[in-house]
């Protein structure tokens, strides 16, 4: 456990250069959000103010403000007299995440104007996923999948929607890290991402939305079921 914590802090110290001279709580929260999404700090991990502040070279007040921002985003939770922890989602949280995804992602596709659409980001995410699958990097495949859906949301051209879904996708990654079999979790959706992309390339947003609805419903059943089984096994 101590060795793993040392590795975490060594890696986190590498992010110190990202802060530059204009260190802010927002930049610190960006770094920690990314690290949480990558599984660097798994769900249930207690975050040490002293250790993380030292690794990033930021003040206690700055770090506490970053913690507050991430708590507002539901990525962290403060437990009285115990400290700040990476949040462990409930099965109900996972279901709510998918309700939000369906409302937002399907609305984005439905609201697209006339083709052609700006699909470079989606295309790059599909290629990223294909490369990860070939290399059997299943965690990277999960990351590529999230990138695909972030690029899909970005088609709306709305900074507010992008910000909302950034937090939603980061929460979703908390669920990914609890499930034991990332290949089984992520691999089936590589083909589906490509099919949605192909529908949009053809200018058929109705077909893309139809595929997306089925995709999200199936994903909720798969991830929700796996999550419930894992959480039950841990009880």
């Amino acid at each position: 456990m101590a060795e793993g914590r040392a590795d975490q802090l060594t890696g986190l110290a590498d992010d110190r250069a990202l802060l530059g001279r204009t260190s802010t709580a927002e930049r610190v929260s960006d770094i920690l959000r990314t690290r949480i999404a990558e599984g660097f700090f798994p769900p249930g991990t207690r975050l040490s103010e002293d250790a993380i502040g030292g690794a990033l070279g930021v003040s206690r007040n700055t770090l506490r403000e970053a913690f507050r921002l991430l708590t507002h985003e539901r990525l962290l939770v403060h437990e009285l007299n115990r400290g700040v922890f990476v949040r462990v989602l409930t099965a109900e949280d996972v279901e709510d995440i998918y309700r939000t995804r369906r409302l937002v992602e399907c609305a984005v596709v439905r609201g697209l104007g006339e083709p052609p659409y700006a699909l470079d980001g989606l295309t790059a995410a599909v290629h990223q996923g294909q490369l990860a699958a070939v290399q059997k990097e299943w965690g990277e495949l999960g990351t590529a999948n999230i990138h695909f859906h972030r690029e899909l949301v970005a088609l709306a051209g709305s900074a507010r929607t992008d910000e909302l879904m950034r937090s939603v996708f980061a929460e979703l990654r908390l669920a990914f890290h609890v499930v034991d079999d990332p290949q089984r979790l992520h691999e089936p959706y590589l083909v589906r991402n490509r099919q949605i992309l192909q529908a949009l390339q053809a200018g058929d947003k109705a077909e893309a939305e139809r595929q997306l609805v089925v995709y999200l419903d199936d994903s909720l059943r798969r991830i929700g079921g796996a999550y419930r089984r894992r959480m039950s096994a841990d009880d």
Side-chain angles (χ1 to χ4, degrees):
M1 180 66 71
E3 181 179 352
R5 187 176 297 112
D7 291 341
Q8 289 176 341
L9 296 174
T10 298
L12 192 60
D14 293 339
D15 289 328
R16 186 170 180 171
L18 299 177
L19 298 175
R21 294 183 178 179
T22 57
S23 175
T24 64
E26 287 80 7
R27 286 192 174 188
V28 174
S29 66
D30 285 343
I31 289 171
L32 293 178
R33 185 188 302 105
T34 298
R35 290 296 190 168
I36 291 168
E38 292 172 347
F40 190 77
F41 297 114
T45 301
R46 181 181 179 277
L47 301 185
S48 166
E49 287 185 1
D50 290 339
I52 293 175
L56 290 177
V58 298
S59 71
R60 186 181 298 269
N61 286 340
T62 296
L63 188 59
R64 285 178 175 175
E65 176 63 12
F67 284 173
R68 187 192 67 78
L69 292 171
L70 295 177
T71 299
H72 181 71
E73 293 180 18
R74 301 172 62 84
L75 295 179
L76 302 180
V77 60
H78 180 268
E79 297 186 10
L80 188 62
N81 298 323
R82 296 192 64 220
V84 175
F85 294 80
V86 179
R87 190 158 170 260
V88 178
L89 300 181
T90 66
E92 290 73 21
D93 289 325
V94 175
E95 292 172 0
D96 193 37
I97 287 169
Y98 273 87
R99 279 194 293 269
T100 303
R101 291 188 65 188
R102 182 163 177 171
L103 283 169
V104 174
E105 293 186 52
C106 292
V108 167
V109 174
R110 192 181 317 122
L112 291 174
E114 294 300 315
Y117 308 121
L119 302 176
D120 288 350
L122 286 177
T123 302
V126 168
H127 290 163
Q128 177 189 2
Q130 290 171 333
L131 179 61
V134 168
Q135 296 176 341
K136 300 187 184 303
E137 295 286 349
W138 308 119
E140 288 299 315
L141 180 55
T143 297
N145 189 33
I146 293 293
H147 286 172
F148 178 88
H149 289 274
R150 287 180 61 179
E151 292 293 340
L152 186 70
V153 170
L155 293 176
S158 166
R160 290 173 178 82
T161 305
D162 289 344
E163 184 177 356
L164 166 67
M165 295 306 292
R166 179 186 65 177
S167 297
V168 170
F169 290 135
E171 271 196 273
L172 181 61
R173 292 293 291 267
L174 295 180
F176 288 174
H177 297 312
V178 173
V179 178
D180 284 332
D181 190 347
Q183 178 181 2
R184 185 177 180 185
L185 186 65
H186 301 304
E187 193 172 28
Y189 300 102
L190 178 59
V191 172
R192 294 188 175 200
N193 287 346
R194 186 164 58 246
Q195 290 170 339
I196 292 171
L197 173 61
Q198 289 169 345
L200 291 173
Q201 287 171 332
D204 192 346
K205 65 181 182 182
E207 174 61 16
E209 183 184 359
R210 185 195 68 78
Q211 291 187 27
L212 182 59
V213 168
V214 175
Y215 178 122
L216 292 174
D217 287 349
D218 287 350
S219 182
L220 173 56
R221 281 192 291 270
R222 181 182 293 269
I223 293 177
Y227 196 81
R228 286 180 183 275
R229 288 191 296 272
R230 174 62 186 271
M231 298 305 288
S232 296
D234 289 345
D235 288 343

